[in-house]
Amino acid sequence: MNYNIEKLNLRANHSCELCVVKGELYAFTVSPKGDDSIDHQVALCSVCQEGIESNDFSNSNHWRALTGSIWSETTSVQALSYRILDQLKSQDWAAETLDGVF
């Protein structure tokens, strides 16, 4: 287990920082950062982690939670949310969310 997961759990209130599902969380380092600094990590549920690692965002209902996570105070959560929304921008809701960010 990543030593930061306890700190991430506290920061995330024991919920996935993208979809807010409660449960077991995993530390995910947002590239291009390669270190284990909590500032560069996001606490993810297994569904979000697997979707990101396999580049499978086909369950668009699950990813609609990004409309909230894009406004996180945590920079790494914002960056990851933006990257996923950008991949989903062909969907109206994702494009509207991205438009609202700028």
Side-chain angles (χ1 to χ4, degrees):
M1 177 183 285
N2 184 298
Y3 68 92
N4 282 338
I5 197 65
E6 288 181 34
K7 290 179 184 177
L8 284 169
N9 270 312
L10 290 174
R11 181 181 79 193
N13 196 25
H14 301 280
S15 299
C16 177
E17 290 185 284
L18 295 185
C19 73
V20 299
V21 166
K22 294 224 181 250
E24 186 174 3
L25 300 176
Y26 305 91
F28 180 83
T29 302
V30 179
S31 65
K33 304 297 182 187
D35 58 42
D36 287 334
S37 168
I38 190 173
D39 293 333
H40 305 142
Q41 293 184 327
V42 177
L44 298 179
C45 67
S46 61
V47 174
C48 286
Q49 180 185 31
E50 290 168 13
I52 291 166
E53 290 179 352
S54 66
N55 205 34
D56 179 7
F57 305 108
S58 59
N59 182 359
S60 64
N61 284 332
H62 177 81
W63 298 106
R64 283 181 181 260
L66 297 172
T67 60
S69 66
I70 190 71
W71 302 107
S72 172
E73 294 179 6
T74 305
T75 306
S76 56
V77 176
Q78 291 174 355
L80 187 57
S81 297
Y82 180 86
R83 290 176 189 175
I84 298 168
L85 283 165
D86 190 56
Q87 291 191 38
L88 294 168
K89 65 185 172 194
S90 65
Q91 305 216 11
D92 290 341
W93 65 268
E96 289 172 12
T97 302
L98 288 171
D99 287 344
V101 172
F102 296 105

XYZ file of all heavy atoms in Angstrom:
800
model
N 0.840 -1.182 0.000
C 0.000 0.000 0.000
C 0.886 1.248 0.000
O 1.873 1.312 0.705
C -0.914 0.010 1.224
C -1.755 1.260 1.322
S -2.776 1.356 2.794
C -4.027 0.185 2.364
N 0.497 2.232 -0.766
C 1.212 3.484 -0.830
C 1.120 4.180 0.524
O 0.042 4.264 1.118
C 0.586 4.340 -1.932
C 1.314 5.624 -2.158
O 1.397 6.448 -1.267
N 1.836 5.778 -3.342
N 2.244 4.700 0.994
C 2.239 5.323 2.315
C 1.400 6.597 2.361
O 1.008 7.056 3.422
C 3.665 5.596 2.791
C 4.391 6.662 2.007
C 4.350 7.987 2.425
C 5.114 6.361 0.868
C 5.006 8.981 1.724
C 5.766 7.343 0.160
C 5.719 8.654 0.591
O 6.368 9.622 -0.109
N 1.081 7.182 1.218
C 0.269 8.399 1.184
C -1.225 8.117 1.222
O -2.010 9.051 1.351
C 0.571 9.217 -0.079
C 1.849 9.997 0.038
O 2.333 10.277 1.122
N 2.412 10.349 -1.090
N -1.635 6.864 1.093
C -3.065 6.592 0.966
C -3.837 7.060 2.207
O -4.962 7.533 2.085
C -3.359 5.110 0.619
C -4.794 4.966 0.080
C -3.119 4.194 1.786
C -5.057 5.658 -1.207
N -3.238 6.979 3.376
C -3.921 7.462 4.580
C -4.146 8.965 4.497
O -5.229 9.461 4.815
C -3.144 7.092 5.832
C -3.207 5.602 6.142
C -2.453 5.244 7.403
O -2.434 6.063 8.350
O -1.876 4.148 7.441
N -3.127 9.704 4.066
C -3.257 11.153 3.916
C -4.269 11.484 2.819
O -5.066 12.415 2.956
C -1.912 11.780 3.575
C -0.925 11.754 4.704
C 0.386 12.375 4.273
C 1.436 12.271 5.359
N 2.727 12.801 4.928
N -4.237 10.722 1.728
C -5.198 10.938 0.645
C -6.622 10.657 1.109
O -7.549 11.390 0.771
C -4.858 10.058 -0.558
C -3.683 10.502 -1.417
C -3.296 9.401 -2.395
C -4.005 11.783 -2.139
N -6.788 9.595 1.886
C -8.112 9.272 2.436
C -8.658 10.425 3.274
O -9.833 10.776 3.168
C -8.057 7.998 3.278
C -8.311 6.753 2.478
O -9.260 6.695 1.712
N -7.466 5.755 2.660
N -7.801 11.007 4.085
C -8.232 12.134 4.911
C -8.587 13.335 4.043
O -9.625 13.978 4.246
C -7.149 12.499 5.923
C -6.940 11.490 7.051
C -5.743 11.881 7.905
C -8.195 11.385 7.902
N -7.717 13.647 3.073
C -7.986 14.788 2.192
C -9.290 14.592 1.427
O -10.064 15.521 1.236
C -6.817 14.975 1.209
C -7.022 16.168 0.279
C -5.894 16.338 -0.695
N -6.025 15.407 -1.803
C -5.061 15.161 -2.686
N -3.888 15.759 -2.581
N -5.260 14.310 -3.672
N -9.532 13.358 0.992
C -10.701 13.043 0.164
C -11.933 12.673 0.976
O -12.959 12.320 0.402
C -10.346 11.895 -0.777
N -11.821 12.738 2.293
C -12.932 12.349 3.162
C -13.379 10.913 2.870
O -14.574 10.621 2.824
C -14.095 13.339 3.044
C -15.086 13.206 4.168
O -14.749 12.750 5.257
N -16.323 13.587 3.906
N -12.410 10.057 2.583
C -12.628 8.633 2.329
C -13.531 8.380 1.115
O -14.252 7.384 1.077
C -13.164 7.930 3.578
C -12.231 8.054 4.743
N -11.121 7.260 4.883
C -12.221 8.911 5.803
C -10.471 7.599 5.978
N -11.112 8.603 6.556
N -13.498 9.291 0.145
C -14.279 9.148 -1.088
C -13.372 9.369 -2.283
O -12.412 10.143 -2.209
C -15.386 10.213 -1.143
O -16.267 10.073 -0.073
N -13.697 8.731 -3.373
C -12.958 8.933 -4.615
C -12.991 10.426 -4.944
O -14.052 11.059 -4.889
C -13.595 8.123 -5.739
S -12.827 8.365 -7.364
N -11.841 10.985 -5.284
C -11.780 12.418 -5.560
C -12.354 12.785 -6.929
O -12.530 13.962 -7.211
C -10.349 12.928 -5.420
C -9.896 12.915 -3.971
C -8.541 13.510 -3.746
O -7.541 12.825 -4.062
O -8.464 14.649 -3.253
N -12.696 11.795 -7.734
C -13.345 12.083 -9.008
C -14.846 11.842 -8.948
O -15.634 12.685 -9.344
C -12.732 11.246 -10.142
C -11.277 11.524 -10.487
C -10.859 10.697 -11.696
C -11.026 12.997 -10.730
N -15.261 10.686 -8.446
C -16.692 10.330 -8.504
C -17.372 10.310 -7.137
O -18.556 10.037 -7.060
C -16.874 8.990 -9.210
S -16.365 7.561 -8.231
N -16.657 10.558 -6.074
C -17.102 10.623 -4.677
C -17.675 9.319 -4.115
O -18.315 9.321 -3.075
C -18.067 11.813 -4.397
C -17.386 13.124 -4.679
C -19.370 11.691 -5.129
N -17.427 8.203 -4.758
C -17.841 6.904 -4.234
C -16.987 6.570 -3.016
O -15.775 6.774 -3.023
C -17.688 5.809 -5.321
C -17.766 4.413 -4.733
C -18.736 5.995 -6.387
N -17.633 6.097 -1.977
C -16.906 5.675 -0.772
C -16.465 4.227 -0.954
O -17.138 3.448 -1.594
C -17.796 5.805 0.448
C -18.154 7.242 0.769
C -18.027 7.497 2.233
C -18.407 8.929 2.551
N -17.285 9.721 2.937
N -15.351 3.887 -0.368
C -14.840 2.527 -0.455
C -13.331 2.539 -0.466
O -12.698 3.538 -0.130
N -12.768 1.424 -0.863
C -11.318 1.326 -0.922
C -10.784 2.273 -1.991
O -11.301 2.321 -3.106
C -10.871 -0.104 -1.230
C -9.372 -0.273 -1.155
C -8.922 -1.717 -1.303
O -9.760 -2.602 -1.525
O -7.703 -1.936 -1.195
N -9.759 3.027 -1.622
C -9.178 3.996 -2.534
C -7.737 3.642 -2.863
O -7.053 2.990 -2.080
C -9.234 5.400 -1.920
C -10.626 5.922 -1.581
C -10.523 7.271 -0.884
C -11.489 6.030 -2.828
N -7.310 4.110 -4.016
C -5.959 3.851 -4.509
C -5.306 5.184 -4.838
O -5.953 6.088 -5.365
C -6.016 2.970 -5.755
C -6.761 1.690 -5.521
C -8.139 1.615 -5.755
C -6.113 0.567 -5.022
C -8.840 0.443 -5.513
C -6.804 -0.602 -4.772
C -8.168 -0.658 -5.025
O -8.862 -1.817 -4.771
N -4.020 5.293 -4.554
C -3.271 6.499 -4.886
C -2.876 6.439 -6.355
O -2.296 5.458 -6.812
C -2.027 6.604 -4.009
N -3.202 7.479 -7.086
C -2.876 7.573 -8.510
C -2.058 8.844 -8.717
O -2.498 9.935 -8.378
C -4.157 7.632 -9.350
C -3.906 7.735 -10.820
C -3.644 6.605 -11.571
C -3.929 8.972 -11.453
C -3.404 6.694 -12.930
C -3.697 9.082 -12.813
C -3.429 7.942 -13.549
N -0.846 8.689 -9.251
C 0.018 9.828 -9.513
C -0.311 10.406 -10.876
O -0.317 9.688 -11.883
C 1.508 9.421 -9.444
O 1.772 8.878 -8.137
C 2.413 10.614 -9.687
N -0.583 11.691 -10.909
C -0.946 12.386 -12.144
C 0.336 12.766 -12.883
O 1.177 13.486 -12.352
C -1.797 13.638 -11.842
C -2.166 14.372 -13.118
C -3.049 13.244 -11.064
N 0.472 12.253 -14.117
C 1.651 12.566 -14.916
C 1.604 14.033 -15.329
O 0.519 14.631 -15.354
C 1.701 11.660 -16.146
O 0.596 11.955 -16.983
N 2.706 14.662 -15.595
C 4.024 14.083 -15.801
C 4.810 13.881 -14.520
O 5.979 13.516 -14.573
C 4.719 15.107 -16.699
C 4.154 16.406 -16.266
C 2.711 16.097 -15.906
N 4.195 14.135 -13.390
C 4.891 13.941 -12.116
C 5.165 12.459 -11.920
O 4.351 11.617 -12.266
C 4.065 14.478 -10.945
C 3.692 15.938 -11.089
C 4.912 16.809 -11.116
C 4.517 18.274 -11.205
N 5.630 19.157 -11.387
N 6.307 12.154 -11.361
C 6.667 10.764 -11.173
C 6.964 10.418 -9.735
O 7.298 9.292 -9.409
N 6.831 11.400 -8.874
C 7.150 11.138 -7.470
C 5.890 10.767 -6.693
O 4.799 10.744 -7.238
C 7.847 12.352 -6.843
C 7.009 13.616 -6.932
O 5.794 13.548 -6.710
O 7.580 14.686 -7.210
N 6.068 10.491 -5.430
C 4.956 10.061 -4.588
C 4.434 11.181 -3.702
O 3.812 10.919 -2.683
C 5.384 8.882 -3.710
C 5.519 7.597 -4.501
O 4.852 7.473 -5.532
O 6.288 6.728 -4.073
N 4.658 12.420 -4.095
C 4.151 13.543 -3.314
C 2.625 13.541 -3.346
O 2.016 13.372 -4.412
C 4.679 14.862 -3.878
O 3.990 15.947 -3.301
N 2.014 13.744 -2.199
C 0.553 13.765 -2.126
C -0.019 14.870 -3.017
O -1.136 14.773 -3.504
C 0.075 13.896 -0.665
C -1.432 13.674 -0.563
C 0.490 15.221 -0.079
C -1.953 13.613 0.854
N 0.753 15.921 -3.251
C 0.298 17.022 -4.110
C 0.129 16.596 -5.559
O -0.560 17.265 -6.325
C 1.267 18.197 -4.038
C 1.286 18.851 -2.667
O 0.260 18.779 -1.953
O 2.329 19.423 -2.308
N 0.759 15.499 -5.941
C 0.697 15.011 -7.317
C -0.179 13.775 -7.450
O -0.183 13.138 -8.503
C 2.111 14.704 -7.831
C 3.026 15.862 -7.696
N 4.346 15.712 -7.340
C 2.826 17.201 -7.840
C 4.917 16.898 -7.277
N 4.017 17.814 -7.575
N -0.889 13.432 -6.387
C -1.699 12.223 -6.387
C -3.173 12.521 -6.190
O -3.545 13.561 -5.645
C -1.220 11.260 -5.294
C 0.162 10.712 -5.561
C 0.575 9.695 -4.538
O 0.201 9.775 -3.369
N 1.357 8.729 -4.962
N -3.986 11.575 -6.650
C -5.435 11.636 -6.508
C -5.889 10.311 -5.917
O -5.392 9.251 -6.305
C -6.107 11.867 -7.885
C -7.610 11.859 -7.773
C -5.610 13.165 -8.506
N -6.826 10.358 -4.993
C -7.413 9.147 -4.414
C -8.536 8.683 -5.334
O -9.479 9.438 -5.585
C -7.950 9.427 -3.019
N -8.415 7.477 -5.861
C -9.380 6.952 -6.823
C -10.014 5.654 -6.342
O -9.356 4.832 -5.712
C -8.702 6.650 -8.162
C -8.061 7.800 -8.917
C -7.424 7.283 -10.195
C -9.074 8.888 -9.214
N -11.293 5.471 -6.714
C -11.950 4.181 -6.511
C -11.459 3.237 -7.607
O -10.796 3.661 -8.564
C -13.463 4.341 -6.589
S -14.093 4.780 -8.222
N -11.794 1.980 -7.498
C -11.327 1.005 -8.484
C -11.911 1.261 -9.872
O -11.239 1.057 -10.880
C -11.639 -0.417 -8.033
O -13.039 -0.589 -7.890
N -13.152 1.746 -9.957
C -13.775 2.013 -11.260
C -13.035 3.132 -11.983
O -12.701 3.012 -13.168
C -15.276 2.360 -11.103
C -15.883 2.777 -12.428
C -16.030 1.174 -10.514
N -12.745 4.213 -11.283
C -12.012 5.321 -11.899
C -10.586 4.901 -12.261
O -10.107 5.190 -13.358
C -11.983 6.530 -10.968
S -13.564 7.400 -10.851
N -9.930 4.205 -11.338
C -8.562 3.775 -11.597
C -8.488 2.867 -12.823
O -7.656 3.075 -13.707
C -7.982 3.057 -10.377
C -6.544 2.596 -10.606
C -6.011 1.786 -9.445
O -6.760 1.093 -8.766
N -4.712 1.852 -9.236
N -9.362 1.893 -12.901
C -9.349 0.965 -14.035
C -9.690 1.676 -15.340
O -9.094 1.399 -16.380
C -10.316 -0.193 -13.783
C -9.828 -1.127 -12.682
C -10.892 -2.109 -12.203
O -11.941 -2.264 -12.870
O -10.673 -2.722 -11.145
N -10.647 2.604 -15.304
C -11.007 3.355 -16.496
C -9.849 4.189 -17.012
O -9.573 4.225 -18.214
N -9.150 4.844 -16.097
C -8.011 5.679 -16.486
C -6.874 4.818 -17.022
O -6.297 5.123 -18.070
C -7.545 6.529 -15.287
C -8.625 7.577 -14.966
C -6.202 7.185 -15.568
C -8.442 8.247 -13.619
N -6.548 3.756 -16.319
C -5.426 2.911 -16.739
C -5.697 2.203 -18.056
O -4.776 1.953 -18.824
C -5.064 1.929 -15.628
C -4.419 2.650 -14.452
C -4.046 1.731 -13.304
O -4.413 0.535 -13.315
O -3.397 2.221 -12.369
N -6.960 1.891 -18.355
C -7.286 1.210 -19.616
C -7.755 2.198 -20.687
O -8.042 1.800 -21.808
C -8.377 0.167 -19.382
O -9.592 0.803 -19.013
N -7.813 3.487 -20.315
C -8.280 4.534 -21.232
C -9.695 4.227 -21.736
O -10.026 4.484 -22.882
C -7.301 4.724 -22.392
C -7.392 6.099 -22.985
O -7.649 7.065 -22.286
N -7.193 6.200 -24.283
N -10.525 3.672 -20.845
C -11.899 3.314 -21.186
C -12.861 4.241 -20.445
O -13.075 4.102 -19.244
C -12.176 1.856 -20.810
C -13.606 1.433 -21.114
O -14.364 2.210 -21.733
O -13.974 0.306 -20.724
N -13.418 5.194 -21.172
C -14.349 6.154 -20.592
C -15.742 5.971 -21.186
O -16.527 6.899 -21.279
C -13.834 7.579 -20.815
C -12.438 7.764 -20.278
C -11.369 7.888 -21.144
C -12.200 7.771 -18.922
C -10.077 8.050 -20.655
C -10.916 7.929 -18.417
C -9.849 8.063 -19.288
N -16.031 4.732 -21.611
C -17.293 4.443 -22.297
C -18.516 4.538 -21.383
O -19.616 4.777 -21.859
C -17.235 3.058 -22.949
O -16.998 2.057 -21.981
N -18.345 4.374 -20.086
C -19.464 4.502 -19.147
C -19.626 5.976 -18.797
O -19.260 6.429 -17.716
C -19.213 3.663 -17.898
C -20.369 3.730 -16.917
O -21.357 4.410 -17.125
N -20.222 3.004 -15.821
N -20.213 6.731 -19.722
C -20.261 8.182 -19.556
C -21.051 8.603 -18.320
O -20.766 9.651 -17.741
C -20.815 8.859 -20.803
O -22.147 8.478 -21.027
N -22.013 7.825 -17.887
C -22.760 8.180 -16.679
C -21.842 8.219 -15.460
O -21.998 9.069 -14.591
C -23.923 7.225 -16.444
C -25.076 7.504 -17.376
O -25.276 8.629 -17.828
N -25.840 6.477 -17.688
N -20.905 7.298 -15.396
C -19.962 7.290 -14.276
C -19.104 8.559 -14.290
O -18.869 9.170 -13.247
C -19.056 6.051 -14.316
C -18.041 6.061 -13.220
N -18.340 5.660 -11.940
C -16.746 6.448 -13.198
C -17.272 5.801 -11.175
N -16.291 6.289 -11.919
N -18.666 8.966 -15.454
C -17.732 10.082 -15.575
C -18.410 11.442 -15.447
O -17.738 12.469 -15.348
C -16.941 9.968 -16.867
C -16.135 8.715 -16.877
C -16.371 7.583 -17.594
C -14.979 8.426 -16.077
N -15.437 6.624 -17.295
C -14.566 7.111 -16.364
C -14.254 9.162 -15.141
C -13.463 6.521 -15.760
C -13.149 8.572 -14.539
C -12.775 7.264 -14.851
N -19.732 11.493 -15.391
C -20.441 12.768 -15.212
C -20.076 13.435 -13.892
O -20.242 14.647 -13.730
C -21.947 12.577 -15.292
C -22.422 12.412 -16.711
C -23.939 12.254 -16.744
N -24.392 12.065 -18.094
C -24.911 13.030 -18.853
N -25.028 14.241 -18.371
N -25.309 12.783 -20.072
N -19.571 12.664 -12.966
C -19.137 13.234 -11.684
C -18.000 14.237 -11.869
O -17.754 15.075 -10.992
C -18.706 12.122 -10.734
N -17.348 14.186 -13.008
C -16.258 15.124 -13.284
C -16.754 16.565 -13.347
O -15.963 17.498 -13.191
C -15.557 14.763 -14.592
C -14.859 13.403 -14.620
C -14.376 13.089 -16.020
C -13.708 13.363 -13.634
N -18.060 16.749 -13.554
C -18.607 18.104 -13.569
C -18.446 18.768 -12.200
O -18.453 19.994 -12.103
C -20.091 18.116 -13.986
O -20.847 17.336 -13.053
C -20.278 17.564 -15.386
N -18.266 17.967 -11.176
C -17.994 18.498 -9.838
C -16.518 18.497 -9.509
O -15.991 19.470 -8.958
N -15.832 17.431 -9.846
C -14.420 17.310 -9.463
C -13.519 18.309 -10.179
O -12.463 18.656 -9.663
C -13.914 15.886 -9.689
O -13.907 15.550 -11.067
N -13.950 18.808 -11.335
C -13.139 19.798 -12.051
C -12.971 21.067 -11.209
O -12.016 21.811 -11.370
C -13.743 20.123 -13.443
C -12.797 20.956 -14.290
C -15.077 20.842 -13.309
C -11.600 20.243 -14.798
N -13.875 21.288 -10.265
C -13.827 22.482 -9.415
C -13.133 22.225 -8.082
O -13.164 23.080 -7.190
C -15.245 23.009 -9.184
C -15.918 23.329 -10.473
C -16.912 22.629 -11.078
C -15.614 24.418 -11.346
N -17.248 23.212 -12.276
C -16.465 24.319 -12.464
C -14.700 25.481 -11.296
C -16.425 25.231 -13.509
C -14.670 26.385 -12.341
C -15.533 26.258 -13.431
N -12.488 21.084 -7.940
C -11.778 20.758 -6.708
C -10.727 21.823 -6.394
O -10.170 22.453 -7.289
C -11.089 19.396 -6.865
O -10.246 19.147 -5.768
N -10.441 21.995 -5.117
C -9.375 22.904 -4.698
C -8.004 22.264 -4.884
O -6.987 22.946 -4.798
C -9.566 23.304 -3.238
C -10.811 24.141 -3.012
C -11.003 24.519 -1.563
O -10.125 24.245 -0.728
O -12.057 25.093 -1.262
N -7.971 20.960 -5.164
C -6.721 20.225 -5.308
C -6.298 20.220 -6.773
O -7.024 19.720 -7.636
C -6.896 18.786 -4.791
O -7.384 18.834 -3.446
C -5.593 18.016 -4.848
N -5.133 20.761 -7.050
C -4.655 20.927 -8.421
C -4.573 19.605 -9.178
O -4.954 19.534 -10.348
C -3.279 21.615 -8.430
O -3.378 22.835 -7.697
C -2.811 21.912 -9.837
N -4.112 18.557 -8.527
C -3.979 17.265 -9.219
C -5.353 16.713 -9.607
O -5.501 16.097 -10.670
C -3.217 16.260 -8.352
O -3.840 16.098 -7.093
N -6.367 16.940 -8.794
C -7.728 16.500 -9.116
C -8.265 17.304 -10.295
O -8.861 16.755 -11.218
C -8.658 16.626 -7.885
C -10.096 16.272 -8.252
C -8.162 15.741 -6.751
N -8.024 18.611 -10.286
C -8.433 19.459 -11.402
C -7.791 18.989 -12.713
O -8.471 18.870 -13.731
C -8.026 20.910 -11.177
C -8.751 21.617 -10.090
C -8.170 23.007 -9.850
O -7.172 23.401 -10.449
N -8.794 23.739 -8.955
N -6.479 18.748 -12.666
C -5.744 18.356 -13.874
C -6.255 17.035 -14.433
O -6.488 16.903 -15.634
C -4.249 18.264 -13.574
N -6.454 16.058 -13.568
C -6.933 14.756 -14.016
C -8.361 14.850 -14.540
O -8.696 14.270 -15.578
C -6.832 13.736 -12.882
C -7.137 12.287 -13.236
C -6.232 11.792 -14.378
C -6.973 11.399 -12.006
N -9.196 15.611 -13.862
C -10.575 15.812 -14.322
C -10.590 16.454 -15.704
O -11.333 16.019 -16.590
C -11.338 16.705 -13.335
O -11.438 16.104 -12.078
N -9.763 17.460 -15.900
C -9.693 18.139 -17.197
C -9.270 17.178 -18.304
O -9.863 17.158 -19.379
C -8.738 19.334 -17.134
C -8.645 20.041 -18.456
C -9.560 21.026 -18.791
C -7.674 19.694 -19.391
C -9.504 21.658 -20.024
C -7.612 20.314 -20.620
C -8.529 21.293 -20.929
O -8.481 21.898 -22.153
N -8.256 16.385 -18.034
C -7.755 15.445 -19.055
C -8.837 14.455 -19.478
O -8.968 14.140 -20.658
C -6.536 14.691 -18.536
C -5.321 15.562 -18.405
C -4.172 14.822 -17.798
N -3.088 15.739 -17.490
C -1.990 15.393 -16.860
N -1.820 14.138 -16.464
N -1.057 16.276 -16.617
N -9.588 13.963 -18.525
C -10.643 13.002 -18.855
C -11.791 13.709 -19.584
O -12.295 13.211 -20.592
C -11.148 12.283 -17.592
C -10.008 11.479 -16.956
C -12.317 11.364 -17.935
C -10.317 10.968 -15.558
N -12.185 14.878 -19.090
C -13.247 15.635 -19.766
C -12.855 15.949 -21.205
O -13.699 15.899 -22.107
C -13.547 16.925 -19.005
C -14.374 16.771 -17.740
C -14.301 18.037 -16.891
C -15.819 16.422 -18.081
N -11.595 16.256 -21.426
C -11.130 16.548 -22.781
C -11.299 15.330 -23.691
O -11.636 15.471 -24.864
C -9.664 17.005 -22.757
C -9.212 17.542 -24.090
O -9.861 18.480 -24.613
O -8.219 17.025 -24.634
N -11.105 14.154 -23.153
C -11.300 12.935 -23.939
C -12.780 12.665 -24.197
O -13.131 11.957 -25.135
C -10.657 11.740 -23.240
C -9.147 11.830 -23.233
C -8.495 10.546 -22.787
O -8.952 9.464 -23.118
N -7.421 10.671 -22.021
N -13.640 13.224 -23.356
C -15.090 13.021 -23.486
C -15.801 14.207 -24.130
O -17.022 14.254 -24.168
C -15.695 12.765 -22.101
C -15.278 11.480 -21.417
C -15.699 11.494 -19.954
C -15.876 10.287 -22.138
N -15.045 15.167 -24.659
C -15.637 16.421 -25.129
C -16.615 16.270 -26.288
O -17.355 17.193 -26.596
C -14.555 17.429 -25.483
C -13.679 17.050 -26.644
C -12.577 18.062 -26.820
C -11.591 17.557 -27.858
N -10.363 18.329 -27.839
N -16.681 15.084 -26.901
C -17.686 14.850 -27.944
C -19.085 14.725 -27.333
O -20.085 14.831 -28.042
C -17.352 13.603 -28.761
O -17.419 12.449 -27.939
N -19.138 14.519 -26.031
C -20.423 14.447 -25.326
C -20.785 15.862 -24.854
O -19.941 16.584 -24.304
C -20.316 13.493 -24.144
C -19.824 12.139 -24.593
C -20.466 11.026 -23.829
O -21.423 11.216 -23.104
N -19.927 9.846 -24.006
N -22.016 16.248 -25.069
C -22.452 17.618 -24.766
C -22.144 18.043 -23.336
O -21.652 19.139 -23.094
C -23.951 17.782 -25.037
C -24.293 17.737 -26.509
O -23.385 17.947 -27.350
O -25.472 17.490 -26.832
N -22.444 17.175 -22.385
C -22.248 17.545 -20.986
C -20.783 17.822 -20.670
O -20.466 18.730 -19.896
C -22.816 16.483 -20.044
C -22.122 15.156 -20.122
C -22.456 14.096 -20.911
C -20.946 14.758 -19.409
N -21.568 13.068 -20.731
C -20.629 13.452 -19.813
C -20.137 15.383 -18.471
C -19.530 12.757 -19.308
C -19.043 14.687 -17.966
C -18.759 13.378 -18.387
N -19.872 17.043 -21.279
C -18.435 17.237 -21.047
C -17.962 18.523 -21.706
O -17.199 19.295 -21.110
C -17.642 16.041 -21.552
N -18.429 18.771 -22.934
C -18.047 20.004 -23.642
C -18.544 21.223 -22.877
O -17.811 22.217 -22.749
C -18.605 19.973 -25.059
N -19.764 21.169 -22.361
C -20.311 22.291 -21.590
C -19.517 22.522 -20.306
O -19.288 23.678 -19.922
C -21.773 22.029 -21.253
C -22.694 22.115 -22.465
C -24.116 21.666 -22.158
O -24.466 21.491 -20.964
O -24.878 21.475 -23.113
N -19.102 21.444 -19.676
C -18.298 21.578 -18.460
C -16.974 22.233 -18.780
O -16.544 23.155 -18.087
C -18.063 20.213 -17.798
O -19.334 19.622 -17.492
C -17.236 20.332 -16.533
N -16.326 21.792 -19.854
C -15.046 22.393 -20.251
C -15.224 23.862 -20.607
O -14.376 24.697 -20.256
C -14.433 21.627 -21.423
C -13.870 20.253 -21.094
C -13.488 19.512 -22.365
C -12.669 20.375 -20.164
N -16.294 24.203 -21.297
C -16.561 25.593 -21.656
C -16.718 26.459 -20.402
O -16.292 27.608 -20.379
C -17.815 25.725 -22.515
C -17.609 25.229 -23.936
O -16.441 25.071 -24.361
O -18.626 25.001 -24.623
N -17.309 25.888 -19.369
C -17.526 26.621 -18.131
C -16.267 26.857 -17.327
O -16.206 27.747 -16.481
N -15.245 26.067 -17.595
C -13.996 26.183 -16.859
C -13.225 27.429 -17.289
O -12.534 28.049 -16.502
C -13.128 24.921 -17.044
C -11.744 25.091 -16.456
C -13.824 23.727 -16.406
N -13.370 27.788 -18.538
C -12.596 28.926 -19.063
C -13.399 30.179 -19.163
O -14.454 30.381 -19.387
C -12.008 28.590 -20.431
C -11.014 27.469 -20.335
C -11.345 26.194 -20.761
C -9.777 27.692 -19.784
C -10.423 25.165 -20.665
C -8.855 26.661 -19.687
C -9.195 25.394 -20.126
